[in-house]
Amino acid sequence: MVKKTSSIKSSEITPESVYFNRRKFVQAAIAGGTLMAAGSACSRKIAMADVSSDANSTPDLKGVVPSSFSTDAAPNSWQDITTYNNFYEFGLGKDDPVNNVGSFNPEPWSVEVSGEAELIGKFAFEDILKPHALEERIYRLRCVEAWSMVIPWVGISLGDVLKRFKPTSKARYVEFKTLEDPKQMPGQRRAVLDWPYVEGLTIAEAMNPLAILAVGLYGKELPKQNGAPLRLVVPWKYGFKSIKSIVSIRFTEKKPRNTWFVSAPREYGFYANVNPEVDHPRWSQAKERPIGQGLFAKKIPTQMFNGYAEEVASLYDGLNLRKNF
Ligand code: MTE
């Protein structure tokens, strides 16, 4: 960016004070069969050898199953995905996040669920994860800055998680917030954005099966610079919608005021659907530069809804996508 339930039973809810150690939890869950037993771990362990020898590597996630929603495009390397980041809480440069996440501790972690839902409260990260299958979803991330990467996320269905909180009929939107803690997030000591980072989706967007909460990439736990321990991934929207390190989920009647809209309303809208036909006021969105192929790599055409028109176009029937950018 350029700055000019159906059922969470009460027995399943862990009081705020009782947390699993995350690593132990993952192992215990596998032993107990809590996570979906996969015949094989994720099938596409591209460049895994490189990953485990990387200083930046994180522990393996077990029981990851491939998803039919994945693109066939070849993923970027672990190195590209974990060292070229946008995470303004750690600075504005692409290599600031990897260099400045040292003081960020995403363990233990909990998420406050509030607003228009029957089940609200503070939930441990592990309890949010527990009943869901971990899936590998290889998606292209198309940044509003007109570059893109292909990322083998590991995640859980956002809609399945949200349904467990039983949203009421008044819940028309879902708002997400990132942690606000300038001690851990040095970028928040400067007012470059209105902290904490906020994003939102309509309830129909949030329930679309393509939307996930990511907890890993390349079969490993999410590195801090990619939004540990859980972040949104909405593949048909510009990357800024995919909010990192989420601590709050709120079901609302009113449209949430997302951070980039608040910062520059003429440039960044609420919808932010990938759309090669609607330019950013200061640059074209028709093409994108694939990261990892050198500075002089040929740009590739950007696809409507980032290639997912068939799955999501109907969400916007009757909406003028030039006005609702
Ligand atoms: N979430 C928070 N909290 N802060 C941010 O600065 N940047 C967004 C998004 N989520 C951002 C964020 C932008 S602009 C992009 S392109 C993606 O994260 C980048 O995700 P990645 O670094 O994992 O590739």
Side-chain angles (χ1 to χ4, degrees):
M1 317 283 291
V2 182
K3 177 117 178 111
K4 304 144 292 143
T5 285
S6 53
S7 55
I8 294 185
K9 295 185 215 97
S10 50
S11 60
E12 274 183 60
I13 301 163
T14 310
E16 201 190 326
S17 54
V18 184
Y19 292 101
F20 290 93
N21 170 289
R22 190 164 310 147
R23 312 266 141 78
K24 282 199 198 115
F25 162 75
V26 173
Q27 283 153 14
I30 293 152
T34 311
L35 297 179
M36 185 190 241
S40 59
C42 64
S43 57
R44 306 192 223 191
K45 296 241 163 150
I46 310 123
M48 284 306 278
D50 300 340
V51 176
S52 42
S53 61
D54 192 297
N56 199 342
S57 179
T58 53
D60 285 346
L61 288 165
K62 302 274 167 22
V64 180
V65 295
S67 160
S68 56
F69 287 119
S70 291
T71 159
D72 290 334
N76 277 81
S77 67
W78 171 271
Q79 177 75 10
D80 286 343
I81 300 169
T82 62
T83 61
Y84 188 92
N85 300 103
N86 272 336
F87 201 170
Y88 276 22
E89 284 81 344
F90 297 98
L92 308 190
K94 301 296 180 225
D95 56 355
D96 284 341
V98 67
N99 290 325
N100 296 337
V101 288
S103 49
F104 175 35
N105 179 11
E107 212 171 327
W109 193 266
S110 57
V111 178
E112 181 86 45
V113 177
S114 61
E116 296 295 341
E118 282 176 33
L119 190 61
I120 55 175
K122 204 163 190 173
F123 300 93
F125 166 78
E126 289 75 8
D127 284 346
I128 289 179
L129 211 65
K130 208 187 308 186
H132 300 282
L134 291 179
E135 281 184 38
E136 183 183 68
R137 299 275 187 108
I138 307 177
Y139 286 154
R140 186 180 301 280
L141 181 138
R142 170 55 163 84
C143 187
V144 74
E145 296 162 329
W147 51 263
S148 65
M149 273 197 225
V150 178
I151 303 181
W153 299 111
V154 176
I156 55 183
S157 154
L158 174 65
D160 287 353
V161 172
L162 296 183
K163 279 179 210 149
R164 290 168 61 206
F165 302 113
K166 300 191 180 169
T168 69
S169 57
K170 284 188 177 164
R172 296 181 54 213
Y173 298 92
V174 193
E175 179 205 74
F176 303 87
K177 283 187 187 156
T178 297
L179 175 71
E180 183 175 12
D181 184 354
K183 281 201 202 85
Q184 296 189 61
M185 298 180 146
Q188 289 179 338
R189 293 173 208 159
R190 292 169 56 198
V192 287
L193 289 177
D194 198 9
W195 309 114
Y197 196 100
V198 174
E199 259 311 336
L201 297 172
T202 67
I203 198 89
E205 290 175 330
M207 294 298 171
N208 185 279
L210 285 170
I212 57 168
L213 284 171
V215 297
L217 60 89
Y218 264 119
K220 293 177 164 282
E221 284 182 21
L222 211 54
K224 296 181 200 178
Q225 61 272 30
N226 293 92
L230 87 162
R231 55 94 54 89
L232 194 63
V233 177
V234 196
W236 70 94
K237 291 180 180 280
Y238 291 120
F240 71 85
K241 297 296 287 185
S242 291
I243 179 172
K244 297 177 170 181
S245 305
I246 295 167
V247 291
S248 159
I249 297 178
R250 191 159 70 93
F251 296 92
T252 66
E253 232 182 321
K254 281 203 190 141
K255 190 191 277 179
R257 287 172 56 79
N258 51 314
T259 295
W260 280 102
F261 172 76
V262 170
S263 166
R266 272 184 13 86
E267 303 195 3
Y268 308 105
F270 172 79
Y271 286 96
N273 290 318
V274 174
N275 188 343
E277 287 160 22
V278 177
D279 289 341
H280 183 277
R282 287 183 282 141
W283 60 81
S284 163
Q285 294 291 21
K287 291 186 175 172
E288 62 204 53
R289 182 170 62 88
I291 297 298
Q293 300 178 9
L295 264 185
F296 303 106
K298 240 185 126 196
K299 290 188 176 170
I300 57 172
T302 286
Q303 292 183 60
M304 191 65 200
F305 296 113
N306 209 16
Y308 295 105
E310 214 173 288
E311 288 84 354
V312 300
S314 64
L315 290 172
Y316 309 102
D317 279 349
L319 205 66
N320 179 334
L321 297 179
R322 283 191 176 272
K323 284 193 181 145
N324 297 280
F325 58 89

